[in-house]
Amino acid sequence: MNYQISALIFPKRGVLDTQGRAVMGTLVEMGFRSVRDVSVGRFVRLSIEAEDQASALSTARRICQELLANELIEDFSLKEGDLSL
Amino acid sequence: MNYQISALIFPKRGVLDTQGRAVMGTLVEMGFRSVRDVSVGRFVRLSIEAEDQASALSTARRICQELLANELIEDFSLKEGDLSL
C-alpha cells in the first residue's frame, strides 16, 4: 500500500539559522518592520510503498536520518499524510 | 501582539520539482526502493507584531508574494501558529 509521509526539517534551537537571518534582513530592508523573527526549514513529501503505516514511517525516519537531515544542527518531525495548512 | 505564522512554499502541480527528483534519485541509489515520489518545499516560521490575527496573516501573505514564493512556479499556504507534526 502507498503512504504519504510529510517531513519537516528545521534548525535545532540554539543553532544559528543563517537562512532565517538572511530573510529577516531582507524583510526589514523591504519595509516589513513588524517581523520579529524568521526561521526557515525544509518540507518534504514522501510517497512510500509499505506493508503498513508503521513501516512507512520507519522508512521515512531512516531517510531523514541518512539523507535529509543533518542531525548535528537540524531536528526533523514526521507525520502520516500530507501537510495541510 | 505577537503572532506566529507558518508558511509552506512548494512547487505548483505540473512544474518539474528538480529538488524532489534529485532526492528521489539519491534515495534509489541508497537502496530505498520503496519510495515512489518525493516533493521538496520550504517551511518558514514568521513571528509578526500585529493588531490582530487577520493583519498578521495579511502581512505574511504579502511577505510570501513579494519575497518568499515565486508564484510562477510555486504555491504557498499559511497557517496561524506553529506547524506541529
Side-chain angles (χ1 to χ4, degrees):
Chain A
M1 194 169 148
N2 195 286
Y3 291 91
Q4 292 287 332
I5 306 284
S6 295
L8 279 186
I9 302 138
F10 38 89
K12 279 188 192 286
R13 284 199 196 284
V15 170
L16 180 62
D17 177 356
T18 47
Q19 285 192 71
R21 281 286 174 90
V23 170
M24 179 76 181
T26 306
L27 288 177
V28 169
E29 274 170 37
M30 291 172 71
F32 288 102
R33 303 216 185 289
S34 61
V35 178
R36 295 292 169 265
D37 190 36
V38 179
S39 172
V40 176
R42 278 163 294 138
F43 152 66
V44 182
R45 279 187 197 121
L46 296 164
S47 173
I48 297 175
E49 197 73 31
E51 296 271 313
D52 49 43
Q53 182 184 325
S55 55
L57 278 167
S58 135
T59 299
R61 186 173 316 289
R62 275 183 51 225
I63 286 171
C64 285
Q65 288 164 337
E66 295 181 29
L67 179 68
L68 298 179
N70 173 350
E71 292 194 273
L72 287 175
I73 58 170
E74 292 175 320
D75 285 323
F76 67 87
S77 53
L78 298 174
K79 179 189 166 207
E80 208 261 318
D82 195 356
L83 217 53
S84 54
L85 283 191
Chain B
M1 196 171 145
N2 195 287
Y3 291 90
Q4 293 286 331
I5 307 285
S6 295
L8 278 186
I9 301 138
F10 38 90
K12 279 188 193 288
R13 284 201 195 283
V15 170
L16 179 63
D17 178 356
T18 48
Q19 285 192 69
R21 280 287 174 87
V23 170
M24 179 76 181
T26 305
L27 289 177
V28 170
E29 274 172 37
M30 291 172 70
F32 288 102
R33 304 220 182 288
S34 61
V35 178
R36 295 291 169 266
D37 190 37
V38 178
S39 172
V40 177
R42 277 163 295 138
F43 153 66
V44 181
R45 279 188 198 122
L46 296 164
S47 173
I48 297 175
E49 197 72 34
E51 296 271 314
D52 50 41
Q53 182 183 321
S55 56
L57 277 167
S58 135
T59 299
R61 187 173 316 288
R62 275 184 50 225
I63 287 172
C64 285
Q65 288 164 337
E66 295 180 30
L67 179 68
L68 297 179
N70 173 350
E71 292 194 272
L72 288 175
I73 58 170
E74 293 174 320
D75 285 324
F76 67 86
S77 53
L78 299 173
K79 181 190 165 209
E80 206 264 318
D82 195 356
L83 219 52
S84 54
L85 282 192

